[in-house]
Amino acid sequence: MNIKKVAVIGGGTMGNGICHVFAMHGIPVNLVETKQELADKALETIDKNLERMVKKEKIDSEQKVQTLENIETHTNTINAVKEVDLVIEAVPENLELKKKVFADVDKAAPEEAILATNTSSISITKLAATTSRPEQFVGMHFFNPVPMMKLVEVVRGFETSDEVVDTVNKTARLLNKNPVPVSDYPGFVSNRVLMPMINEAIFCVHEGVADPEDIDDVMKLGMAHPMGPLRLADFIGLDVCLDIMNVLYEGFKDPKYRPCPLLVKMVDAGKLGDKTGEGFYTYD
Ligand code: CAA
């Protein structure tokens, strides 16, 4: 199966990045948001990120125009998914919300369409089971910033067919990404490895081992990480980090995944990182 048209549900950081890469590689995308203002905001972000690529001479201005022309905004999921081959859900990490989105998508998308979720932590198998086509359901986990990061974690649910995995792998390669297959276990591979490192860095702050800047310097200068773990936690969102730690903790019932009390306290205080202007660092 060739993917000729896509719908992306959700125009936030991940959703607009996913739309950006599909449209830039010539695949028309329907971008779905709950309100037109939010869809317009997502388009503005894509425009800004494309302009950044024009300035760096990664694309020319004609490619930018063509990319934007490949994106159509929608506020009605049912209409947006009617004629697409692949639907990628990228709404906030809330099981009930995702179930609701997939109920509409399952009803309206063509029978052969593949349903994918960009979830970073919710079980693919559990979501797939709420639809009438679990064998056509798969995880396509992109990374932020989507236009830059090469990885797509392709997460196979309990019933995902080989054919669907092949199509999704092929599609990721068309976007110039590297698909890596993983099984559906809490945190998949990416967050099972990344989040305990971030959580441990937060424990180092909590226990006064070192300041956030110094912890980040250790990991940047000693391990060549592009961002230190605390800067990265702010970039991802401390609420998202806490949600993922809780998924690992509850999923494996292993105390090694317990979230650091400082992480819990910062989320309770609304200090979520870049998006609220304050986390381990402050932002304009
Ligand atoms: N769109 C297009 N281009 C972008 C971009 C965007 N949204 N964001 C950054 N870029 C480009 C810049 O234009 C720049 O291009 P050049 O290499 O041509 O100069 C390049 O990315 C580097 O950007 P900057 O110079 O502004 O800054 P930087 O060198 O500090 O890099 C970074 C920024 C790419 C984000 C880098 O710090 C990095 O790779 N950080 C780690 C990010 C990471 O770990 N992401 C995964 C998070 S986990 C996740 O997403 C999933 C989950 O489940 C939680």
Side-chain angles (χ1 to χ4, degrees):
M1 179 183 186
N2 287 325
I3 302 298
K4 292 187 220 72
K5 188 159 184 167
V6 177
V8 176
I9 319 292
T13 308
M14 298 308 289
N16 74 54
I18 296 168
C19 288
H20 175 140
V21 294
F22 273 99
M24 201 174 76
H25 288 87
I27 301 174
V29 197
N30 290 341
L31 185 162
V32 188
E33 256 300 353
T34 47
K35 292 186 187 138
Q36 193 56 45
E37 302 95 89
L38 295 175
D40 293 343
K41 203 171 150 222
L43 265 188
E44 263 173 47
T45 305
I46 296 171
D47 189 310
K48 201 181 72 195
N49 286 329
L50 286 167
E51 191 52 40
R52 187 206 283 253
M53 296 180 97
V54 172
K55 286 209 178 97
K56 300 263 172 162
E57 296 181 350
K58 288 182 186 163
I59 57 171
D60 58 32
S61 37
E62 180 54 28
Q63 281 170 297
K64 178 184 163 188
V65 172
Q66 277 169 8
T67 300
L68 290 170
E69 277 174 6
N70 279 339
I71 305 174
E72 200 174 282
T73 58
H74 288 254
T75 52
N76 181 307
T77 303
I78 306 266
N79 290 337
V81 303
K82 266 185 192 152
E83 288 169 5
V84 303
D85 311 298
L86 169 66
V87 180
I88 304 179
E89 167 276 312
V91 304
E93 291 289 274
N94 174 310
L95 178 63
E96 291 313 311
L97 176 62
K98 286 185 194 280
K99 278 194 200 164
K100 203 163 158 287
V101 166
F102 278 115
D104 285 343
V105 169
D106 195 22
K107 225 180 326 174
E111 221 174 276
E112 63 287 354
I114 294 175
L115 311 189
T117 172
N118 179 57
T119 184
S120 52
S121 56
I122 294 172
S123 160
I124 306 303
T125 305
K126 195 185 262 184
L127 280 173
T130 68
T131 72
S132 64
R133 45 183 118 179
E135 64 295 336
Q136 281 162 243
F137 197 102
V138 68
M140 271 186 101
H141 186 202
F142 289 83
F143 291 79
N144 184 23
V146 181
M148 296 306 299
M149 306 310 273
K150 285 288 189 193
L151 174 64
V152 179
E153 233 180 352
V154 176
V155 192
R156 187 188 268 273
F158 193 68
E159 292 189 71
T160 313
S161 73
D162 290 344
E163 196 194 337
V164 163
V165 171
D166 288 348
T167 303
V168 164
N169 283 340
K170 196 168 76 181
T171 306
R173 287 191 200 100
L174 275 177
L175 306 177
N176 202 19
K177 306 275 181 218
N178 292 57
V180 175
V182 306
S183 295
D184 185 21
Y185 279 92
F188 316 134
V189 170
S190 54
N191 283 320
R192 186 168 172 178
V193 176
L194 174 68
M195 282 303 157
M197 180 192 70
I198 288 178
N199 196 45
E200 204 56 39
I202 301 173
F203 268 112
C204 287
V205 181
H206 185 57
E207 292 168 11
V209 180
D211 291 336
E213 292 83 354
D214 292 333
I215 294 166
D216 280 351
D217 276 348
V218 166
M219 300 307 286
K220 281 191 293 183
L221 303 175
M223 286 79 182
H225 287 199
M227 281 174 164
L230 299 163
R231 174 69 196 94
L232 183 56
D234 278 358
F235 181 65
I236 292 170
L238 300 192
D239 51 339
V240 176
C241 295
L242 178 59
D243 282 348
I244 297 172
M245 282 314 293
N246 279 327
V247 165
L248 293 172
Y249 186 52
E250 282 152 25
F252 291 112
K253 309 270 185 272
D254 186 331
K256 77 176 176 185
Y257 297 114
R258 76 197 184 288
C260 176
L262 177 60
L263 174 61
V264 177
K265 207 189 278 184
M266 289 177 73
V267 172
D268 284 347
K271 299 191 187 310
L272 307 182
D274 296 26
K275 61 185 155 192
T276 59
E278 193 181 347
F280 290 99
Y281 299 90
T282 48
Y283 306 91
D284 290 334

